[in-house]
Amino acid sequence: MKLGRAAVLGGGPGGLYAARLLKLAQPDCVVDVYEQDAPQTTFGFGVGLAAGTQQNLRTADPGSLADILDHSQPHEMSLRVGDAVARMPNDSLRAIGRTTLLNVLQRHAIAAGTRLHHGQRVDADSVDADLIIAADGVSSAVRDRYAADFGTQISVGDGLYLWCGTDFALPMALFMPVTAAAGTFVTHAYPYAADRSTFLIETDEQTWRAAGFDVTTDALAGGPADASDEVSLRFLEKTFADPLQGHALIGNRTRWLRFRTVHCERWHRGNVVLLGDAAHTAHYSIGSGTKLAMEDAMALVAALAEQHTLPDALSRYEAARRPAVQHLQAVAARSQRWWDTFPGRLGLPVNQLLVSYMTRAGKVPLTRFAESTPHVVRAALASYAPGALPDDRAELPSGEDLINFVIAQPLRRAGTTYPHRTSRPPGTIAEVDFTDTDPWGPKADDALARLEDAVGSGATAIRISGPGRRDDLLNRLNLGERLRGHGLPVIIRGSRQYLPDLAAGLVAGRADLIEVD
Ligand SMILES: Cc1cc2nc3c(=O)[nH]c(=O)nc-3n(C[C@H](O)[C@H](O)[C@H](O)COP(=O)(O)OP(=O)(O)OC[C@H]3O[C@@H](n4cnc5c(N)ncnc54)[C@H](O)[C@@H]3O)c2cc1C
């Protein structure tokens, strides 16, 4: 369908990209972008762009992608705990400064013929256009105003994070926990320019309060909107002095936040459509917010080209995007929980911890990780089953052989040796039938409490059973990780078709033994 006039509210990545693609597809349409901030005043540091995102952007608009890549910084990944480091080479991962990305997208939007109006905060009701694209971010006023129509639900994360940066390029991306007197802080840091790196730092509420950051957060509440929490920055600068190599942490409207996950039952209402963070968010630990916003823009413009009426086009857009968004939100929810509970895993050897990270959301199979990063999986197997791979020259099994290899390893626990990971323990097994969807929620806490009794009355192992779907198995594996703290072997029961998940769970420290149906 042809539009006469489109208004885009919000000049973030989603809004600017939608404006450019729309103008390229419909040169006769007048496209206006309204951005409340002046140019160059955006907040934020770097934004990660994974290989799949780059491929999608290349398909939609090779010109702007080339420009984005020209301004981006490649990086590998690493996980460091104390002095132990696990490295993950990656030749396609890149990051770009948010300001730089917006400059590039602004240039391309203007080059396509759109009109950018900076310094204008606009309300959907005050705009006269055939289509109003509400790309006004996670705090979308458009969405909030019609929250009942959009069926908006916002859930707030337990953990706290802040987003800051430093003035040098880290040699590679770094996940690193540091335990201070107050508790554990973890950074997700990555270079995004020759002289800049992002430091996202997160912690749990107890640590945050113990460090006094509830007080610094409250003190900022009534002050200027662009102020940063300098007390926290100076504290964290000392905490992360080692990876910072003596550099300072730089703030930019930096303050402690809790992540807000936005779900909307509907993404359009009349001629107004939600796009990007306004419609949905996914936890930052999967680095997908910008990707989702820009992919929404592609789908919206494609749906407008395919359909003859605006209602059909907006329904088509939503139908096309919703499955991918829901999938990523589910992955992000698991990832968020993994990070929220991260300090509990610090006892794992670093390479097993990296396997746990990679398999945290059930998205990356152990076999694929072994193909891309064999040295990490080899080292993880060496600590999982000492002696099983006698030296670096011993061949690392692949595919199904790797799964079978993991399961064939013996387990030595509390004086008992189990010949392989499907061995049956002797004695009384404490049974948990877990059907809930949240392995860290109150029902899981109840299951844990009930087990205390069973363990006290002489059980020799714990077995967790439950429904047959893969999601349920992933939940059992997460619960298994919690229960392993008891010291008894934890057996996870699951269907044969999910053997790869069970094997990954063994190496990642979520199970000791498995029982296959
Ligand atoms: C800590 C953190 C780390 C992140 N890391 C990554 C990462 O590594 N990779 C990644 O892909 N994503 C990351 N993201 C997410 C990413 O920043 C967002 O998901 C992405 O910017 C969403 O784009 P958007 O265009 O939908 O919204 P936004 O980028 O939020 O843009 C919305 C724009 O609308 C403007 N606006 C709001 N209301 C109005 C109005 N009424 N009128 C005019 N203008 C208005 C705002 O000023 C803003 O410029 C991260 C986010 C956070 C919080």
Side-chain angles (χ1 to χ4, degrees):
M1 68 158 299
K2 292 284 173 220
L3 296 168
R5 177 150 191 246
V8 181
L9 311 193
L16 289 168
Y17 203 53
R20 170 168 165 91
L21 296 184
L22 180 57
K23 188 68 184 172
L24 290 177
Q26 300 201 22
D28 294 334
C29 176
V30 176
V31 181
D32 288 294
V33 180
Y34 300 95
E35 167 54 49
Q36 63 186 0
D37 287 336
Q40 316 291 345
T41 58
T42 183
F43 68 97
F45 294 90
V47 171
L49 298 171
T53 309
Q54 293 169 37
Q55 187 49 45
N56 292 339
L57 299 183
R58 187 172 292 114
T59 307
D61 184 24
S64 60
L65 177 72
D67 213 355
I68 290 169
L69 293 182
D70 277 353
H71 290 83
S72 69
Q73 182 85 2
H75 59 265
E76 298 186 346
M77 287 178 69
S78 64
L79 170 65
R80 178 174 159 192
V81 182
D83 292 332
V85 182
R87 291 177 59 160
M88 245 191 327
N90 189 320
D91 52 15
S92 54
L93 204 56
R94 304 184 83 96
I96 182 169
R98 180 177 156 94
T99 323
T100 311
L101 174 65
L102 293 186
N103 287 343
V104 169
L105 292 176
Q106 283 161 9
R107 273 205 310 279
H108 282 269
I110 292 168
T114 70
R115 303 188 303 200
L116 264 52
H117 311 269
H118 276 99
Q120 288 194 34
R121 183 174 169 85
V122 169
D123 181 327
D125 292 340
S126 64
V127 179
D128 177 23
D130 302 326
L131 173 65
I132 299 172
I133 302 174
D136 51 348
V138 64
S139 304
S140 169
V142 177
R143 182 198 63 222
D144 288 354
R145 173 151 188 191
Y146 302 111
D149 291 346
F150 290 125
T152 307
Q153 285 167 12
I154 299 181
S155 54
V156 181
D158 293 337
L160 291 118
Y161 70 93
L162 59 70
W163 206 3
C164 54
T166 190
D167 61 355
F168 76 105
L170 282 165
M172 64 185 80
L174 176 73
F175 295 121
M176 181 178 175
V178 174
T179 301
T184 300
F185 295 88
V186 188
T187 187
H188 308 214
Y190 49 91
Y192 65 88
D195 60 350
R196 285 282 184 275
S197 299
T198 298
F199 267 73
L200 182 142
I201 297 169
E202 62 176 29
T203 193
D204 59 275
E205 174 146 4
Q206 203 182 339
T207 304
W208 178 73
R209 287 188 187 281
F213 297 149
D214 51 338
V215 177
T216 60
T217 301
D218 285 351
L220 278 171
D226 59 355
S228 289
D229 185 339
E230 296 296 336
V231 177
S232 293
L233 287 172
R234 301 293 78 80
F235 173 93
L236 294 167
E237 210 165 81
K238 291 196 194 101
T239 308
F240 289 97
D242 189 318
L244 278 167
Q245 301 171 27
H247 290 254
L249 281 176
I250 306 167
N252 183 351
R253 305 186 195 187
T254 296
R255 46 189 74 194
W256 291 102
L257 301 167
R258 293 176 200 266
F259 192 81
R260 283 182 292 159
T261 302
V262 174
H263 292 273
C264 290
E265 281 165 29
R266 286 167 295 283
W267 295 349
H268 58 96
R269 172 191 186 274
N271 67 339
V272 178
V273 64
L274 302 177
L275 183 144
D277 274 12
H280 46 69
T281 58
H283 190 246
Y284 54 75
S285 59
I286 63 162
S288 290
T290 302
K291 161 204 159 76
L292 286 174
M294 293 174 82
E295 288 175 359
D296 281 358
M298 292 175 211
L300 176 60
V301 173
L304 288 164
E306 274 170 28
Q307 303 294 321
H308 297 294
T309 66
L310 190 61
D312 286 350
L314 299 186
S315 297
R316 173 75 198 127
Y317 154 71
E318 190 169 328
R321 287 299 290 151
R322 196 172 274 285
V325 167
Q326 277 178 346
H327 171 69
L328 267 187
Q329 284 188 314
V331 167
R334 287 194 184 280
S335 179
Q336 181 170 4
R337 281 304 211 173
W338 193 87
W339 282 109
D340 282 351
T341 54
F342 180 74
R345 286 178 202 99
L346 290 179
L348 267 186
V350 72
N351 288 288
Q352 274 183 272
L353 186 58
L354 194 48
V355 170
S356 173
Y357 165 75
M358 288 304 291
T359 58
R360 69 197 184 285
K363 200 169 168 239
V364 178
L366 180 65
T367 46
R368 177 152 37 104
F369 186 44
E371 276 164 33
S372 66
T373 320
H375 67 279
V376 168
V377 174
R378 176 184 290 279
L381 289 175
S383 49
Y384 163 73
L389 288 166
D391 58 44
D392 284 354
R393 284 159 301 170
E395 196 183 338
L396 179 67
S398 61
E400 209 174 311
D401 290 345
L402 176 62
I403 305 299
N404 292 332
F405 176 86
V406 167
I407 295 168
Q409 298 312 310
L411 171 72
R412 289 174 197 89
R413 178 61 57 89
T416 305
T417 298
Y418 303 87
H420 47 76
R421 300 306 177 109
T422 48
S423 304
R424 291 290 175 93
T428 311
I429 298 176
E431 301 282 350
V432 181
D433 184 33
F434 188 68
T435 53
D436 196 49
T437 52
D438 186 356
W440 288 279
K443 290 203 173 133
D445 293 345
D446 287 350
L448 250 122
R450 283 198 305 276
L451 270 175
E452 302 288 346
D453 301 338
V455 171
S457 57
T460 51
I462 299 165
R463 176 166 44 218
I464 312 178
S465 314
R469 290 180 329 138
R470 181 168 184 253
D471 269 351
D472 295 307
L473 172 64
L474 296 178
N475 291 337
R476 288 200 287 284
L477 285 163
N478 287 328
L479 183 64
E481 184 182 37
R482 293 186 66 187
L483 295 183
R484 284 185 79 223
H486 280 290
L488 293 180
V490 172
I491 311 163
I492 303 292
R493 200 165 162 187
S495 156
R496 179 163 300 280
Q497 63 180 314
Y498 304 128
L499 215 47
D501 293 313
L502 288 163
L506 288 168
V507 181
R510 300 185 179 105
D512 297 295
L513 299 168
I514 60 172
E515 195 171 302
V516 182
D517 298 328

